[in-house]
Amino acid sequence: MNMKSGKPIITLLTDFGTEDGYVGAMKGVILSGVPDATIVDISHNIEPYNVRQAAYTLLNYAHLFPGDTIHLIVVDPGVGTGRKGLVVQMGDYFFIAPDNGVFSFITREHSFRAWEIDEKLFGIKISSTFHGRDIFAPAAVRIANGENPSDFGKKVSEIVSFYEPFQLLSPGECLLKILHVDHFGNLILNFSKGDLQKLGDPQNIKIRLKQGFLYGIKNTFGEAGKGQLLALWDSIGFLQISQNQGNAAAALNLGVGDQVILKYS
């Protein structure tokens, strides 16, 4: 692997918070191995153990960075167990994270190569509770310094994904699931613009909720009055149910895993 010239860019996405020094420990490892690295803090406020939130967050920013960026994601409720640690290459980007579903969104429509990290190659003093410091940050250092993932990992063909496609119940009717609830209470559904095109790009859309129907897919929040519910595409192309200047999740008492019906003609 040949990294492009210039300072390596390494992004960090964790559920560590910032008050306990865990993020600082990872940065210390990275800068000790790659003194000229540019480290970008994406967020350390992912809800503890919320892999789904991390997966959606990753999809929002990863592709906007320069090629050869190394994305380091440590939301790791299974740390110290038999779950794998991975290096994933997707185009010019490298991703380092536990194999727990954090790649579920980003690998949905993109080809990738993946390697399982051989933990034995990272020394004998590996904490069973902090692989971010002892395995994942050192792996980022190795990649930034030009090593190939195959130097410290074995190729794997399958990785964990929790993404569930929508179900076609009958002609004109689909069952959708809520994949994620964002900071604003928007309900992100497992239905994309590409999915709509595959259905023939129908113009008459309505979403059935317990409280009634939402008609059509709006272009902006402002097409609904303050406090009104609406359906529209989020910034990365998933259909979402929102409340203009409000919280749809709270208003509808819905969350991840709940289902709605989309009807089209």
Side-chain angles (χ1 to χ4, degrees):
M1 183 202 69
N2 293 314
M3 298 292 290
K4 294 176 182 176
S5 59
K7 295 182 178 181
I9 299 173
I10 300 174
T11 72
L12 297 179
L13 176 68
T14 78
D15 59 352
F16 293 169
T18 55
E19 63 269 33
D20 297 307
Y22 302 139
V23 175
M26 290 179 61
K27 288 183 177 181
V29 171
I30 292 168
L31 291 173
S32 292
V34 194
D36 62 344
T38 297
I39 300 176
V40 180
D41 293 290
I42 301 300
S43 175
H44 303 296
N45 294 319
I46 296 295
E47 180 181 315
Y49 322 119
N50 194 333
V51 175
R52 286 178 175 269
Q53 183 185 17
Y56 183 78
T57 302
L58 177 65
L59 184 62
N60 269 299
Y61 69 85
H63 65 290
L64 298 174
F65 277 79
D68 284 337
T69 294
I70 300 166
H71 295 298
L72 186 52
I73 309 102
V74 188
V75 177
D76 194 12
V79 62
T81 68
R83 68 95 187 94
K84 297 188 290 286
L86 295 177
V87 176
V88 172
Q89 184 177 13
M90 198 177 308
D92 291 333
Y93 299 108
F94 289 88
F95 302 80
I96 300 170
D99 185 22
N100 57 13
V102 75
F103 297 116
S104 294
F105 291 125
I106 205 161
T107 58
R108 191 174 63 91
E109 294 182 340
H110 297 90
S111 60
F112 64 91
R113 295 190 294 166
W115 295 262
E116 179 183 355
I117 297 171
D118 186 346
E119 297 179 7
K120 297 189 298 293
L121 299 180
F122 287 79
I124 60 173
K125 295 182 179 180
I126 295 175
S127 167
S128 61
T129 61
F130 199 179
H131 285 186
R133 178 194 65 196
D134 296 341
I135 296 174
F136 298 135
V141 168
R142 291 191 178 201
I143 295 294
N145 283 328
E147 289 192 46
N148 287 299
S150 58
D151 292 338
F152 54 89
K154 65 177 180 179
K155 192 80 175 290
V156 293
S157 57
E158 295 184 0
I159 62 177
V160 173
S161 176
F162 53 71
Y163 188 84
E164 297 179 63
F166 72 91
Q167 296 180 43
L168 186 62
L169 298 177
S170 62
E173 188 174 62
C174 298
L175 180 67
L176 311 186
K177 277 190 176 182
I178 297 169
L179 292 175
H180 175 64
V181 179
D182 75 4
H183 175 75
F184 294 98
N186 297 310
L187 303 169
I188 314 300
L189 301 167
N190 63 338
F191 190 82
S192 68
K193 288 183 178 181
D195 292 328
L196 185 66
Q197 291 172 353
K198 291 174 184 176
L199 293 176
D201 206 14
Q203 299 303 303
N204 297 314
I205 301 287
K206 58 183 179 180
I207 297 175
R208 189 178 75 201
L209 305 170
K210 292 179 181 178
Q211 295 83 350
F213 284 95
L214 295 179
Y215 291 91
I217 299 175
K218 309 301 184 184
N219 293 312
T220 67
F221 293 101
E223 291 182 44
K226 184 177 180 179
Q228 289 185 340
L229 295 164
L230 69 155
L232 73 167
W233 301 111
D234 76 356
S235 62
I236 48 179
F238 284 111
L239 189 62
Q240 68 180 26
I241 298 171
S242 303
Q243 184 181 41
N244 186 20
Q245 300 180 54
N247 186 310
L252 295 170
N253 192 29
L254 292 175
V256 172
D258 288 331
Q259 301 173 336
V260 297
I261 298 293
L262 181 143
K263 291 180 173 288
Y264 64 93
S265 60

